[in-house]
Amino acid sequence: MESGPAIFAGLVFALFGAGLLAWTAGRVRHREPVAHGVNPVASATLASFAAVIALALAAWCFTRL
């Protein structure tokens, strides 16, 4: 019974992390800004870091099943 919330949280983190990583990669590939008014390298790095953290949290949630 306790695996339901872990599966839900893992899926949410995985979808968010994958979506953010894909969106960031698409913006960088087309040389468009990730965040307006911010250094392009810093914003892409921070967004990628947040995506990797979300994917790591998803993996951690899935190991708790």
Side-chain angles (χ1 to χ4, degrees), residues 15-39:
L15 288 174
F16 174 75
L20 181 60
L21 196 60
W23 181 81
T24 303
R27 299 290 285 187
V28 169
R29 185 179 310 133
H30 294 294
R31 298 179 192 244
E32 295 175 356
V34 176
H36 292 288
V38 182
N39 182 357

Side-chain angles (χ1 to χ4, degrees), residues 6-18 51-65:
I7 293 170
F8 177 74
L11 282 174
V12 168
F13 280 126
L15 288 174
F16 174 75
V52 169
I53 293 296
L55 290 172
L57 284 171
W60 181 77
C61 286
F62 289 137
T63 61
R64 299 293 166 202
L65 296 178

